[in-house]
């Protein structure tokens, strides 16, 4: 992927932030007809974090960004570009990235949002790495921040048990040669866009009294079709990303998949023949945090010592679009 003149780019710092409030499966039993047993067996989720009234994608993202900047050992003013992956922005516009730019004091940094659902962080990491490799910027902050609790129909048991709120962030900078992003695979299939979306509020169906009464501003999903897509997309995309840098599954020290559902992770791992010990999961504690899921997992894996310098780490994700994204990193 890299020509000889390009700089190596990778994760220089990583951080995460989770809201304090915990919503357990037992709490959900009081909201909809469901059970701890059903949720646990079908998804592997025990509890998730829920943002307070005042918390937004920007406030969560800011907390994670500050952690990542500290971890990288740089100052906020060293950040030259901010990419925020979110499908739950504070506003339609301006970009949530601009709010974070102001909040962290990254004076004059370029800032924009990526709206690619759960795959957004890996898309952002790939874009940021290219910017650094080609010398456009030295430090790019990539944030995944989502507050899906504010876009969920809390009477729909098919969706409300699955999601949680959170944010994760990474500083992408020039690093030692042969480290950082080695290969990637990103793509989409828009013919499947109806399977996972928020129907109203955009130019297709602007907000009206009707759309509010129909609860058309909350997320809808065809769970079983998304499930099938997810297993295929994550395993095929992982293979392509590894192929892009001449590596194989056995070279990988740790897989960090999108934390959507334990059954999806297990099925994808089976297709790839990856032993479960080499897969990092925390879906049990946080549910599906959308674009935040991979950076939160990476930050936790790093903190727990599950990733060491030189390890090959693969992140793989699927999400709205429908889309997929995988990247291979030498840590
Ligand atoms: O980033 C977005 C990613 N989205 C996902 O990761 C979702 C992918 N899909 C899934 O993870 C699974 O499809 C679900 C966990 C959403 C559902 O699991 P499933 O094994 O596909 O169940 P199902 O949709 O086929 O439903 C089985 C039954 C149904 O009952 P009937 O209609 O067969 O009588 C559902 O009504 O389970 C029922 N059900 C529930 N029961 C208790 C659905 N949701 C619940 C619930 N509690 N929360």
């Amino acid at each position: 992927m890299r020509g000889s003149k390009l700089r190596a780019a990778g994760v220089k710092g990583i951080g995460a932030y989770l809201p304090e409030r915990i919503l357990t499966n037992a709490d959900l039993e009081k909201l909809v007809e469901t059970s701890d047993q059903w949720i646990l067996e079908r998804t592997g989720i025990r509890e998730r974090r829920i943002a307070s009234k005042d918390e937004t994608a920007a406030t969560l993202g800011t907390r994670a960004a500050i952690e990542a900047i500290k971890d990288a050992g740089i100052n906020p003013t060293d950040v030259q570009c901010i990419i925020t992956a979110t499908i739950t922005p504070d506003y339609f516009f301006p970009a949530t990235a601009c709010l974070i730019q102001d909040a962290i004091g990254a004076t004059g940094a370029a800032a924009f949002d990526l709206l690619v659902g759960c795959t957004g962080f890996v898309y952002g990491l790939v874009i940021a790495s290219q910017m650094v490799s080609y010398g456009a910027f030295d430090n790019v902050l990539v944030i995944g921040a989502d507050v899906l609790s504010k876009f969920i129909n809390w009477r729909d048991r098919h969706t409300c048990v699955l999601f949680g709120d959170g944010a994760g962030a990474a500083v992408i900078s020039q690093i030692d040669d042969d480290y950082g992003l080695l290969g990637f695979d990103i793509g989409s299939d828009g013919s499947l866009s109806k399977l996972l979306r928020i129907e109203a509020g955009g130019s297709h169906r602007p907000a009206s009294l009707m759309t509010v009464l129909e609860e058309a501003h909350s997320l809808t999903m065809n769970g079983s079709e998304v499930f099938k897509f997810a297993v295929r997309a994550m395993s095929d995309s992982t293979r392509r990303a590894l192929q892009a840098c001449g590596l194989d599954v056995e070279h990988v020290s740790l897989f960090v998949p999108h934390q959507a559902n334990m059954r999806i992770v297990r099925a994808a791992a089976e297709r790839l023949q990856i032993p479960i010990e080499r897969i990092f999961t925390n879906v049990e504690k946080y549910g599906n945090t959308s674009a935040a899921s991979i950076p939160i997992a990476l930050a936790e894996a790093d903190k727990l010592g599950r990733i060491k310098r030189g390890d090959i780490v693969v992140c793989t994700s699927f999400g709205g679009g429908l889309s997929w994204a995988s990247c291979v990193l030498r840590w």
Side-chain angles (χ1 to χ4, degrees), residues 43-45 118 162-164 234 255-265 279-298 300-301 314-318:
T43 72
I45 302 166
C118 306
L162 303 175
F163 298 97
M234 291 214 292
F255 285 88
V256 182
H258 171 42
Q259 308 286 312
N261 177 323
M262 224 22 233
R263 280 194 304 149
I264 293 177
V265 170
I279 300 177
F280 187 83
T281 59
N282 59 12
V283 68
E284 191 183 12
K285 293 189 290 182
Y286 308 131
N288 179 348
T289 57
S290 186
S293 122
I294 286 193
I296 291 172
L298 273 177
E300 202 166 298
V314 170
C315 302
T316 182
S317 187
F318 69 93

Side-chain angles (χ1 to χ4, degrees), residues 32-35 38-39 42-43 118 148 156-163 196 219 221-228 230 258 260-261 263-264 288 290 318-320:
V32 286
E33 202 182 323
T34 191
S35 66
W38 191 95
I39 301 171
R42 303 281 177 136
T43 72
C118 306
L148 272 164
D156 176 12
R157 68 175 181 172
H158 293 94
T159 52
C160 76
V161 301
L162 303 175
F163 298 97
L196 179 60
L219 180 145
M221 179 180 67
N222 179 330
S224 52
E225 287 304 312
V226 172
F227 190 108
K228 281 185 241 162
H258 171 42
N261 177 323
R263 280 194 304 149
I264 293 177
N288 179 348
S290 186
F318 69 93

